[in-house]
Amino acid sequence: MDNVLGYQGKRAVVTGAASGMGAATAEVLAELGAEVIGMDRAPIAVAVQQAIAIDLLDPASIEAAAGQIEGDVHAFFNCAGLPGPPFTDLETMLVNFIGGRQLIETVAPKMPSGSSIVYVASAGGIGWQSNLAAFMDLFATDGYGAGKDWLEAHPELWEGNGYAASKQAINAWTAWRSVGMMRDNGIRLNCTNPGPTSTAMMPFFHDAVGKSLVDAAMGPVGRYSTPEEQAWAMVLLGSERASYVVGESLYADGGFYGALQTGQIDFSHLMPSD
Ligand SMILES: NC(=O)c1ccc[n+]([C@@H]2O[C@H](COP(=O)([O-])OP(=O)(O)OC[C@H]3O[C@@H](n4cnc5c(N)ncnc54)[C@H](O)[C@@H]3O)[C@@H](O)[C@H]2O)c1
């Protein structure tokens, strides 16, 4: 059976294509025969059909980047993101959620029924359900500026915790927004929750929370994942073969979530030591 995952001749947009998971996803999609449009604020080295500069902190740049896409988009992978420190919590919320949401909403009208969106969240977003009421209020905001204003008026949701809050927001938004996207446009929206992955972002996590805490989030696989492993999880989720998978959070975390849910992770290792 040829073209098992159905990407041959399809147009795919990948953000964060300059590095890590986004670069790996762009490469896998190209190998599968897709026409890949890469987006990033940094130069894109992997072979893509079109490279578009974008700064997800800047709504004008988001609008301009989306405007450079010609024709239909069949698959969208939003991999760009910030790790938290040394970036501020607000910057992290804006790039990881407000900017990502804005780009997705701007590109969605170019996506025909049957197409799919995969948004990279994180295992760091576990527990998002406890903040759902606040997130639903945020999701009612329309556009980048309104989303930013809401965040500035509600620092209690994210201050001191920008990375986890941004990833919780992605999980919650995926669950909520997938309904309208499917009902109105036939688009499947899902997200992935990667565990620790060996990319350029990892040293920032080690600096921010300590290597031992990151290592404790490895799960029973007992190692960090590669960007290629995260890319394949995304590519499988975005494939038309996953046509009945909608609004899901896929944990690509080496078994961490299952272990956590069933009490097989020692919580004391998860707390930063004083
Ligand atoms: N590495 C991990 O352990 C890990 C774990 C869970 C989730 N994630 C998430 O995976 C995604 C990919 O991260 P990665 O690990 O491949 O890191 P990475 O640093 O290798 O890649 C992130 C990319 O995002 C781009 N980017 C950052 N800010 C941007 C902006 N304002 N506008 C446009 N592009 C911007 C960067 O230029 C970079 O190319 C991120 O959303 C990250 O939060 C990473």
Side-chain angles (χ1 to χ4, degrees), residues 212-213 215-217 256 259-260 262-271:
S212 58
L213 183 62
D215 287 357
F256 173 72
L260 191 67
T262 54
Q264 297 179 80
I265 293 267
D266 181 349
F267 279 98
S268 64
H269 295 306
L270 294 176
M271 307 313 289

Side-chain angles (χ1 to χ4, degrees), residues 19-21 40 54-56 79 81 120-121 163 167 194 197 199 202:
S19 180
M21 297 180 199
D40 207 296
I54 187 169
D55 183 357
L56 288 165
C79 307
V120 181
Y163 186 75
K167 298 305 186 178
T197 303
T199 70
M202 187 47 71

Side-chain angles (χ1 to χ4, degrees), residues 76 103-112 117 177 181 185 187:
F76 187 119
L103 181 63
I104 289 170
E105 293 289 7
T106 309
V107 173
K110 298 176 191 277
M111 302 185 72
I117 299 165
R177 187 68 180 103
M181 287 242 178
N185 310 102
I187 299 171

Side-chain angles (χ1 to χ4, degrees), residues 15-24 39-44 52-58 61-62 78-84 87 91-92 94-96 103 119-125 163 166-167 170 192-205 214 224-225 227 230 234 252:
T15 74
S19 180
M21 297 180 199
M39 293 190 179
D40 207 296
R41 66 173 177 178
I44 295 171
I52 299 178
I54 187 169
D55 183 357
L56 288 165
L57 266 179
D58 175 3
S61 169
I62 294 169
N78 195 53
C79 307
L82 291 178
F87 305 94
E91 282 170 336
T92 304
L94 290 173
V95 170
N96 292 4
L103 181 63
Y119 201 153
V120 181
S122 170
Y163 186 75
S166 71
K167 298 305 186 178
I170 296 169
T192 61
N193 285 328
T197 303
S198 301
T199 70
M201 193 172 280
M202 187 47 71
F204 295 110
F205 290 138
V214 178
Y224 291 6
S225 79
Q230 295 301 329
M234 279 186 260

Side-chain angles (χ1 to χ4, degrees), residues 21 118-123 167 170-171 174 190-194 230 233-235 237 248-252:
M21 297 180 199
V118 177
Y119 201 153
V120 181
S122 170
K167 298 305 186 178
I170 296 169
N171 275 271
T174 297
N190 293 287
C191 70
T192 61
N193 285 328
Q230 295 301 329
M234 279 186 260
V235 164
L237 189 57
E248 285 297 330
S249 300
L250 174 68
Y251 287 85

Side-chain angles (χ1 to χ4, degrees), residues 11-270:
R11 188 174 294 112
V13 172
V14 182
T15 74
S19 180
M21 297 180 199
T25 302
E27 284 188 313
V28 167
L29 289 165
E31 279 169 29
L32 293 173
E35 179 188 314
V36 181
I37 300 172
M39 293 190 179
D40 207 296
R41 66 173 177 178
I44 295 171
V46 296
V48 290
Q49 207 85 15
Q50 187 183 4
I52 299 178
I54 187 169
D55 183 357
L56 288 165
L57 266 179
D58 175 3
S61 169
I62 294 169
E63 189 71 33
Q68 289 180 58
I69 301 171
E70 284 172 18
D72 288 349
V73 173
H74 307 102
F76 187 119
F77 300 86
N78 195 53
C79 307
L82 291 178
F87 305 94
T88 67
D89 287 319
L90 183 60
E91 282 170 336
T92 304
M93 286 299 294
L94 290 173
V95 170
N96 292 4
F97 180 63
I98 301 294
R101 175 183 76 156
Q102 182 66 15
L103 181 63
I104 289 170
E105 293 289 7
T106 309
V107 173
K110 298 176 191 277
M111 302 185 72
S113 180
S115 54
S116 86
I117 299 165
V118 177
Y119 201 153
V120 181
S122 170
I126 287 172
W128 59 270
Q129 294 88 343
S130 59
N131 286 322
L132 187 56
F135 285 130
M136 291 303 288
D137 200 36
L138 169 61
F139 300 161
T141 61
D142 188 11
Y144 188 102
K148 185 180 180 193
D149 289 348
W150 190 97
L151 288 179
E152 284 171 342
H154 297 87
E156 70 282 358
L157 188 66
W158 51 268
E159 219 165 44
N161 199 26
Y163 186 75
S166 71
K167 298 305 186 178
Q168 287 195 348
I170 296 169
N171 275 271
W173 188 72
T174 297
W176 173 74
R177 187 68 180 103
S178 61
V179 177
M181 287 242 178
M182 176 47 67
R183 255 192 211 141
D184 303 338
N185 310 102
I187 299 171
R188 293 187 305 112
L189 170 64
N190 293 287
C191 70
T192 61
N193 285 328
T197 303
S198 301
T199 70
M201 193 172 280
M202 187 47 71
F204 295 110
F205 290 138
H206 285 170
D207 284 351
V209 297
K211 183 175 180 299
S212 58
L213 183 62
V214 178
D215 287 357
M218 279 193 290
V221 165
R223 61 174 175 81
Y224 291 6
S225 79
T226 66
E228 290 73 23
E229 287 176 303
Q230 295 301 329
W232 277 105
M234 279 186 260
V235 164
L236 294 172
L237 189 57
S239 161
E240 60 195 36
R241 299 287 166 241
S243 53
Y244 207 64
V245 183
V246 177
E248 285 297 330
S249 300
L250 174 68
Y251 287 85
D253 65 351
F256 173 72
Y257 185 63
L260 191 67
Q261 292 300 301
T262 54
Q264 297 179 80
I265 293 267
D266 181 349
F267 279 98
S268 64
H269 295 306
L270 294 176

